[in-house]
Amino acid sequence: MTAQGGRDIVAEARGLVKRFGAFEAVRGVDFTIARGESFGFLGPNGAGKTSTMRMVSAVSQPSAGSLSIFGLDPRVHGPEIRGRIGVVPQDDSLELELSVRLNIEMYGRYFDLPRRVLRERTDELLDFARLTERADSKVDDLSGGMKRRLTIARALVNRPEMLILDEPTTGLDPQARHLLWERLYRLKREGVTLIITTHYMDEAEQLCDRLVVMDNGTIVAEGAPRELIEHHSSREVLELRFGTDAHAAMHDVLAPHAERVEVLPDRVLLYVEDGDDALRTVHAAGITPLSALVRRSSLEDVFLRLTGRTLVD
Amino acid sequence: MASRVLPAFGSRRSLHIFERNYYAYRSQWLMFASGFFEPFFYLLAIGIGLNHLVGALPVGGRSVSYATFVAPGMLATSAMNGAVIDSIFNPFFRLKISHTYDAVLSTPLDVTDVALGEVWWALSRAALYAASFIVCMVLLGDATSPWVVLCWPGAVLTSLAFTCVGLAGCTYVRSWQDFDVVTLVTLPLFLFSGTFFPITLYPQWLGAIVSVSPLYQAAALLRGLATGQFDLLMLGRAGYLVALGLAGLWLAARRFRAILTP
Ligand SMILES: Nc1ncnc2c1ncn2[C@@H]1O[C@H](COP(=O)(O)OP(=O)(O)OP(=O)(O)O)[C@@H](O)[C@H]1O
Ligand SMILES: [Mg+2]
């Protein structure tokens, strides 16, 4: 389905709502995702990211609003949509009753893939997940990170056009994380659309062309990572540390020296144009922090600004 | 699109659940094989053991040996027990402990495919075990009529009723402790459903209550089939089991949907 501007739209939500009983987990969100794009959902715990992803995966039904995936209505064409999607759920729901290899093969069978094709794909995916040696192990015997890798490999078995990853790298060691990133870059080059949630800001900056920040079931900001940083934060951040209980009292003292001051339990953040400059004026005012650090603004600052919470809380 | 099996209920994809269970059981062949020994145990212990102590019993207009009387009841019981395993214990584990179905539902399969797939699996196992049971009946001389072959579909129908009701029931199970309730239901069913002795021995009011028991209806149906004594009442019994199965399946699918895709 092509929309205005000739862009190929794979997912479009308007006023999308998800209710659990009386509780509204997603409160009318709008987003449009183009083919080949990698799109991120960020937000604190309970923001409604997973609830939104489950609707986009055509697994859970929207309570209100409109949602179209590949130009199809998930209420009507659920099986067809799901057949073209790969899903890495937040909790690995692996088959404890099947071996590692069969976890991938059987999952592929649900997509009506022939066994001959599956044997080949499974070999390749086991290799990608670095689980070839554990192919005949029971899933229960794998480590947490290995299970996560298996869940990711499994999601690729149907060669999806769109891959939905809910905190894919939680529990992965740095090497496994970089292997996944590499694979995701490759899939993106092949035209696969990626939808990702993550609590790691470096990951979001690396992987996402565009992202939305959700809070309390609504979207509070949208844009490319750099745009968001430019729009919602200053150019640089001066991080100051004082004695442990002194931080709360520092807000008013430091306020004149920055565009905005954010007090965290372990440090104070000063949002400024020029960090070194700000540090000089702080010193000149007779304020002496135990340590000082100047850095560029990051998505983490945007997140803090928009949701009032640090990312990993 | 896969063709619909029933209007708006399940699709050909439900067979993948059968396949999944086959893979899961391949490594548990001992448990699988135990299903074949069960009929021997029943028939030997109760049939042969009691046959000498208990005299002939009336079935329909005829008088038959106790073994001939009790074998169809045991077949019905065996179908019920198999259905309980395949529809309550295993699906409970997949639904609430291992979350197997959550993963399945992000593939083209639908909730109705999952429920229907579990039914296919349970019925296939029931058909296998029932066949071996009937062969045992014939070998031990408990079958008096060639119509005994009709016990085969009869036992599968029994399994259908219990499987579907069990699938609905398994969605209400909250933890392993709740399985005591399952025993609390199946044990009296087993003991009082006219599987060991004719319910004509009960006072009339109790007989009326027992006749609601699906196990009683199944045992009575299988007894008629095994001895080749047909009457119209048997159509009613079969209809009762079918109705129970359809109602159970409908409820099971609804409950699965509510739990798996809230
Ligand atoms: N099945 C459910 N029944 C009731 N409430 C639910 C259900 N699933 C989610 N919620 C609620 O909806 C809200 C959003 O949950 P969701 O899982 O979408 O958050 P999230 O953004 O993915 O959070 P996290 O970062 O912790 O994964 C939460 O308040 C949660 O308690
Ligand atoms: Mg989540």
Side-chain angles (χ1 to χ4, degrees):
Chain A
M1 160 151 284
T2 45
Q4 64 279 38
R7 279 206 312 169
D8 190 359
I9 302 300
V10 288
E12 184 162 44
R14 291 290 165 261
L16 190 61
V17 171
K18 182 68 199 182
R19 273 188 287 267
F20 298 106
F23 177 71
E24 220 168 52
V26 179
R27 312 175 174 207
V29 299
D30 301 318
F31 54 85
T32 306
I33 304 170
R35 183 173 297 279
E37 195 174 19
S38 55
F39 191 87
F41 283 92
L42 305 186
N45 293 140
K49 304 180 296 295
T50 298
S51 307
T52 306
M53 303 272 262
R54 279 170 59 84
M55 289 190 278
V56 175
S57 339
V59 171
S60 108
Q61 301 272 338
S63 310
S66 77
L67 179 65
S68 135
I69 310 294
F70 305 129
L72 301 168
D73 181 351
R75 276 175 258 237
V76 185
H77 300 283
E80 189 189 336
I81 294 170
R82 292 194 296 274
R84 296 162 67 182
I85 292 182
V87 176
V88 177
Q90 186 167 354
D91 311 302
D92 323 301
S93 37
L94 290 165
E95 282 273 19
L96 304 179
E97 298 171 73
L98 302 181
S99 69
V100 167
R101 170 175 256 297
L102 269 172
N103 258 276
I104 300 180
E105 268 185 25
M106 189 58 229
Y107 198 73
R109 291 290 297 149
Y110 295 133
F111 293 89
D112 289 328
L113 295 169
R115 288 191 188 78
R116 189 177 34 77
V117 173
L118 277 171
R119 266 194 291 279
E120 235 166 80
R121 283 194 195 176
T122 305
D123 286 338
E124 193 272 320
L125 288 170
L126 284 172
D127 190 44
F128 157 65
R130 292 180 295 135
L131 287 171
T132 307
E133 251 111 79
R134 308 298 296 265
D136 299 316
S137 302
K138 283 173 67 179
V139 166
D140 244 352
D141 299 339
L142 298 183
S143 76
M146 290 175 182
K147 285 184 191 157
R148 200 70 192 136
R149 272 153 33 199
L150 179 57
T151 306
I152 294 166
R154 184 181 72 173
L156 296 172
V157 75
N158 61 324
R159 304 249 160 104
E161 301 170 37
M162 180 158 89
L163 193 56
I164 297 182
L165 306 121
D166 199 345
E167 299 187 26
T169 56
T170 301
L172 292 189
D173 63 32
Q175 192 198 359
R177 175 184 299 199
H178 284 285
L179 271 174
L180 174 63
W181 286 8
E182 219 172 88
R183 179 75 172 220
L184 294 180
Y185 291 137
R186 203 171 91 203
L187 289 167
K188 192 167 143 55
R189 272 200 305 280
E190 289 163 8
V192 175
T193 309
L194 305 175
I195 304 182
I196 303 164
T197 74
T198 177
H199 288 299
Y200 301 111
M201 282 307 97
D202 54 334
E203 187 161 280
E205 281 194 56
Q206 286 278 333
L207 292 176
C208 300
D209 301 326
R210 214 152 52 84
L211 48 87
V212 294
V213 179
M214 286 187 78
D215 194 17
N216 272 321
T218 57
I219 291 178
V220 291
E222 173 178 353
R226 279 257 63 93
E227 275 170 34
L228 284 171
I229 294 168
E230 275 161 31
H231 196 258
H232 294 281
S233 190
S234 58
R235 205 173 68 86
E236 291 192 328
V237 184
L238 173 60
E239 293 197 6
L240 302 178
R241 281 170 210 271
F242 298 90
T244 34
D245 42 349
H247 289 123
M250 294 314 292
H251 186 275
D252 293 344
V253 180
L254 291 167
H257 302 286
E259 293 166 28
R260 201 162 57 84
V261 174
E262 197 79 57
V263 178
L264 301 183
D266 60 333
R267 65 213 140 113
V268 181
L269 306 181
L270 275 69
Y271 290 94
V272 293
E273 259 312 296
D274 184 328
D276 292 319
D277 216 33
L279 184 56
R280 270 190 294 277
T281 63
V282 166
H283 279 307
I287 304 166
T288 49
L290 294 177
S291 72
L293 171 83
V294 175
R295 59 168 176 83
R296 289 179 66 84
S297 269
S298 69
L299 267 185
E300 182 117 25
D301 300 298
V302 174
F303 193 90
L304 189 60
R305 172 83 189 266
L306 292 170
T307 67
R309 264 160 291 188
T310 43
L311 265 158
V312 190
D313 57 3
Chain B
M1 283 228 72
S3 57
R4 291 280 174 191
V5 172
L6 294 167
F9 197 98
S11 73
R12 199 175 41 79
R13 294 193 192 91
S14 58
L15 292 175
H16 292 314
I17 294 291
F18 177 93
E19 194 179 340
R20 182 225 160 267
N21 289 353
Y22 165 75
Y23 284 129
Y25 273 83
R26 227 173 24 170
S27 50
Q28 300 184 40
W29 59 270
L30 193 67
M31 189 166 123
F32 198 82
S34 71
F36 290 101
F37 294 114
E38 202 184 283
F40 277 110
F41 296 158
Y42 276 131
L43 290 175
L44 286 178
I46 297 169
I48 296 188
L50 291 178
N51 203 27
H52 298 290
L53 301 174
V54 184
L57 285 171
V59 169
R62 264 191 287 157
S63 162
V64 298
S65 76
Y66 183 66
T68 301
F69 172 85
V70 85
M74 293 298 108
L75 176 55
T77 305
S78 154
M80 174 181 83
N81 288 340
V84 165
I85 301 266
D86 279 331
S87 70
I88 304 186
F89 286 82
N90 294 333
F92 166 75
F93 179 75
R94 293 169 200 146
L95 186 67
K96 296 194 177 164
I97 309 288
S98 68
H99 298 285
T100 297
Y101 300 138
D102 286 296
V104 173
L105 291 180
S106 55
T107 74
L109 272 76
D110 183 31
V111 170
T112 52
D113 295 324
V114 170
L116 206 56
E118 291 292 356
V119 173
W120 295 147
W121 173 256
L123 294 190
S124 310
R125 285 231 295 176
L128 216 56
Y129 295 149
S132 87
F133 198 112
I134 292 163
V135 169
C136 289
M137 277 168 74
V138 172
L139 291 180
L140 294 172
D142 298 336
T144 54
S145 152
W147 290 113
V148 74
V149 296
L150 288 182
C151 280
W152 196 47
V156 174
L157 178 60
T158 306
S159 172
L160 174 80
F162 281 103
T163 298
C164 295
V165 170
L167 266 186
C170 102
T171 65
Y172 292 96
V173 176
R174 289 156 304 176
S175 68
W176 297 110
Q177 274 84 42
D178 284 352
F179 283 112
D180 293 344
V181 178
V182 177
T183 312
L184 208 63
V185 173
T186 53
L187 191 64
L189 274 183
F190 170 54
L191 292 175
F192 302 113
S193 288
T195 41
F196 296 114
F197 50 85
I199 66 163
T200 45
L201 296 178
Y202 286 135
Q204 204 165 15
W205 62 270
L206 193 56
I209 293 176
V210 169
S211 65
V212 181
S213 152
L215 187 59
Y216 165 72
Q217 296 297 343
L221 175 66
L222 293 179
R223 202 162 280 140
L225 295 174
T227 52
Q229 294 184 308
F230 302 101
D231 56 43
L232 271 180
L233 210 57
M234 285 162 69
L235 275 181
R237 302 193 199 285
Y240 180 67
L241 295 175
V242 169
L244 214 53
L246 291 179
L249 189 57
W250 174 81
L251 181 61
R254 255 179 77 103
R255 293 276 307 164
F256 268 56
R257 194 178 294 287
I259 291 171
L260 290 168
T261 61

